[in-house]
Amino acid sequence: MSKSPLFDAIHTDDLEKMLTCLGGQQKKYDKGTFIMIAGDIVDFVGVILSGNVQVIKEDINGNRNIIAELSEGDVFGEAFACAGISISNETILAITDCEIMMIKFKKIVTTCSNACEFHSKLISNMLKIIAQKNLNLNEKIEIITKRTIREKIMSYLLTQAEKNRSTSFEIPFTRNELSDYLCVERSAMSRELGKMQKDGLIKVEKRNFKIL
Amino acid sequence: MSKSPLFDAIHTDDLEKMLTCLGGQQKKYDKGTFIMIAGDIVDFVGVILSGNVQVIKEDINGNRNIIAELSEGDVFGEAFACAGISISNETILAITDCEIMMIKFKKIVTTCSNACEFHSKLISNMLKIIAQKNLNLNEKIEIITKRTIREKIMSYLLTQAEKNRSTSFEIPFTRNELSDYLCVERSAMSRELGKMQKDGLIKVEKRNFKIL
DNA sequence: AGAATTATGTTGCAAATGCAACAAAAGGAA
DNA sequence: TTCCTTTTGTTGCATTTGCAACATAATTCT
């Protein structure tokens, strides 16, 4: 297993001790089975030790909507558990055979008596994970809030440029994924990317972008 | 001062002790002054003891964008501090005279020796605040991701109905605020609300909605 | 290599939406 | 009450966008 960011800066030896102390339960799920179903009570945080899962949300009409695909080291359920909303509205599906570690939320925030010096690191890791997600969500909202496709693209490219500290950079998305992220039609996005090049705003070559 | 959710379930008497232990610094800001400027290092969490502030983000072109308005009890800077992103890209402006409590992030996550039994409550409160924001952001993204205005409206109304456990409910927004939240033109939204009534989907009367 | 699959670009067209300008209604203040 | 401001609804119009259908590259598989 590759380590989860939840266990960052916690040595593997200490980790095992700590997990005992946390009462972490390790479970196996076969491909295609549900790890968690919308409506379930979530008083724990799930850590994926191996395998891949899908986070699914069903709308009123029963349409399945894949929110995310998670893999080794990723964490799920943390927002519900930490917000004190014990009932999840998401379903977690194992899309490969999986090993999952379930850790009760209470055990995480309540400092243990066994002088677990790593406990505070664990807590700070948990905060970091959620806060980071928070920033990512904010970033996305800032982008998809823009009115036109051109503005969305520009907004996205500018944040990427900032992250790369350069006006030339490679994006981590295929065209399809990018259009999903920006919440626009792929073809309309493609059209707009073309126009933006013609207008001399950007230069595009596959995943490589340059802002002019 | 009304208590911040950060101090939920912590008694006022204990709070003072704890704040000493946390090394919280209380500062005053005059109306119109900046409490924090984009680019500042944020290794603390700000709690508004009194007054109102605006969270402002400037885009590349220098356009000021008001992200939120916070008041007594609200917390700011927590996402940056907790994510370990020590540099904020937001500016905090005092729009009235303000009293702010600054608490170093490190002090929050590091359990103190003075047997602060409330410390773990503080941590769990912090987690709750950020996780709750997380869920709110997710909810908003789910809504504004929808393609058409009608779908956005419906999506919003359905979540409201769910929260109120009824198909009749009152929304907390004016039309303007609603259109901002949904990220659409007010007039276009108004037009669509009319159509939706004519189509027999909903019934609207000021802030009162009924899903049919 | 050859076939099949996937990713990307192109375009016509209808529908949706932003924008602007105005009208009506509601609420607040003097 | 009367005046003024704010909120909400209405509508014409130009633009943008989604959608569908197709063409062409690029990639993967056998």
Side-chain angles (χ1 to χ4, degrees):
Chain A
M1 121 193 190
S2 83
K3 256 190 356 187
S4 165
L6 186 57
F7 304 134
D8 255 10
I10 300 176
H11 194 278
T12 312
D13 302 342
D14 302 317
L15 184 53
E16 286 184 26
K17 245 189 295 172
M18 197 180 67
L19 283 177
T20 319
C21 162
L22 286 170
Q25 290 219 342
Q26 201 165 324
K27 292 190 184 174
K28 292 195 178 188
Y29 295 86
D30 291 332
K31 174 178 173 176
T33 57
F34 292 103
I35 297 170
M36 200 168 99
I37 296 180
D40 280 1
I41 290 178
V42 191
D43 55 354
F44 60 86
V45 172
V47 183
I48 303 177
L49 303 178
S50 70
N52 296 296
V53 311
Q54 274 180 351
V55 183
I56 298 169
K57 209 170 206 169
E58 280 190 36
D59 64 20
I60 285 263
N61 311 317
N63 302 319
R64 280 198 181 178
N65 215 324
I66 299 168
I67 308 287
E69 202 158 317
L70 308 180
S71 56
E72 215 169 296
D74 286 334
V75 169
F76 62 84
E78 78 291 349
F80 299 107
C82 296
I85 312 288
S86 54
I87 293 185
S88 159
N89 61 3
E90 292 176 350
T91 292
I92 308 288
L93 171 66
I95 57 174
T96 67
D97 287 358
C98 286
E99 288 178 296
I100 310 288
M101 165 82 66
M102 313 284 207
I103 306 174
K104 294 270 179 194
F105 173 67
K106 254 197 184 155
K107 293 273 191 175
I108 293 180
V109 290
T110 312
T111 317
C112 58
S113 50
N114 305 14
C116 243
E117 50 186 301
F118 308 103
H119 209 131
S120 74
K121 190 64 203 168
L122 180 77
I123 289 168
S124 128
N125 285 345
M126 180 61 105
L127 269 168
K128 188 170 183 171
I129 289 172
I130 301 186
Q132 185 59 59
K133 229 175 235 186
N134 215 305
L135 293 177
N136 289 340
L137 291 174
N138 264 318
E139 189 177 292
K140 176 161 182 172
I141 284 184
E142 201 184 326
I143 290 170
I144 66 177
T145 285
K146 297 282 190 302
R147 309 254 157 142
T148 65
I149 293 182
R150 176 171 295 205
E151 280 178 304
K152 286 179 193 177
I153 293 173
M154 255 312 178
S155 185
Y156 172 72
L157 292 180
L158 287 172
T159 63
Q160 287 302 304
E162 201 171 332
K163 279 182 188 167
N164 289 277
R165 296 175 192 287
S166 161
T167 54
S168 298
F169 48 87
E170 193 177 329
I171 65 170
F173 289 139
T174 67
R175 291 288 185 273
N176 240 315
E177 290 165 341
L178 180 58
S179 72
D180 274 353
Y181 183 80
L182 300 181
C183 300
V184 297
E185 257 300 298
R186 183 195 58 79
S187 69
M189 185 187 78
S190 182
R191 175 170 37 194
E192 197 59 36
L193 280 173
K195 281 189 197 167
M196 289 171 79
Q197 278 198 92
K198 213 166 58 184
D199 292 353
L201 287 171
I202 58 174
K203 222 169 133 336
V204 192
E205 162 72 38
K206 305 209 179 185
R207 290 190 179 194
N208 301 303
F209 285 74
K210 182 172 178 59
I211 299 176
L212 305 174
Chain B
M1 121 196 193
S2 82
K3 256 190 359 188
S4 165
L6 185 56
F7 304 134
D8 255 9
I10 299 177
H11 194 278
T12 313
D13 302 342
D14 302 318
L15 183 53
E16 286 183 24
K17 244 189 296 171
M18 198 181 67
L19 283 176
T20 319
C21 164
L22 287 171
Q25 291 220 342
Q26 202 166 323
K27 292 189 186 174
K28 292 195 179 190
Y29 293 87
D30 291 333
K31 173 178 173 177
T33 57
F34 292 104
I35 297 170
M36 201 167 98
I37 296 180
D40 280 0
I41 290 177
V42 190
D43 55 355
F44 61 86
V45 173
V47 183
I48 303 177
L49 303 179
S50 71
N52 296 297
V53 310
Q54 273 180 351
V55 183
I56 298 169
K57 210 169 204 170
E58 280 189 34
D59 65 19
I60 284 264
N61 310 317
N63 301 320
R64 280 197 179 177
N65 216 324
I66 298 168
I67 308 288
E69 201 159 318
L70 308 180
S71 56
E72 217 171 294
D74 287 334
V75 169
F76 62 84
E78 78 291 348
F80 299 107
C82 297
I85 312 289
S86 55
I87 293 184
S88 159
N89 61 4
E90 291 175 350
T91 292
I92 308 288
L93 171 67
I95 57 174
T96 68
D97 288 357
C98 287
E99 288 177 295
I100 309 288
M101 165 82 65
M102 313 283 210
I103 306 174
K104 294 269 179 194
F105 173 67
K106 252 196 186 156
K107 293 273 189 172
I108 293 180
V109 290
T110 312
T111 316
C112 58
S113 50
N114 306 12
C116 243
E117 48 187 301
F118 308 102
H119 209 133
S120 75
K121 189 64 202 168
L122 181 77
I123 289 169
S124 129
N125 284 345
M126 180 63 104
L127 270 168
K128 188 171 184 172
I129 289 172
I130 302 185
Q132 186 58 60
K133 229 174 237 187
N134 219 306
L135 292 177
N136 289 341
L137 291 173
N138 263 319
E139 190 178 291
K140 176 161 183 173
I141 284 185
E142 202 185 326
I143 290 170
I144 65 178
T145 285
K146 297 282 189 303
R147 308 254 159 145
T148 65
I149 292 183
R150 176 171 296 208
E151 281 178 303
K152 286 178 193 179
I153 293 173
M154 256 313 180
S155 185
Y156 172 72
L157 293 180
L158 288 172
T159 64
Q160 287 302 305
E162 203 171 331
K163 280 183 188 166
N164 289 275
R165 297 176 191 287
S166 162
T167 53
S168 299
F169 49 87
E170 192 179 328
I171 65 169
F173 289 140
T174 67
R175 292 288 185 273
N176 238 316
E177 290 165 343
L178 180 59
S179 73
D180 274 353
Y181 182 81
L182 301 180
C183 299
V184 297
E185 256 300 298
R186 184 195 57 80
S187 69
M189 184 187 79
S190 182
R191 175 169 37 196
E192 197 60 35
L193 280 173
K195 281 190 198 168
M196 289 170 78
Q197 278 199 91
K198 213 167 58 186
D199 292 353
L201 287 171
I202 59 174
K203 220 168 132 339
V204 192
E205 163 71 37
K206 306 209 176 184
R207 289 191 179 193
N208 301 302
F209 285 73
K210 182 171 176 59
I211 300 177
L212 306 172

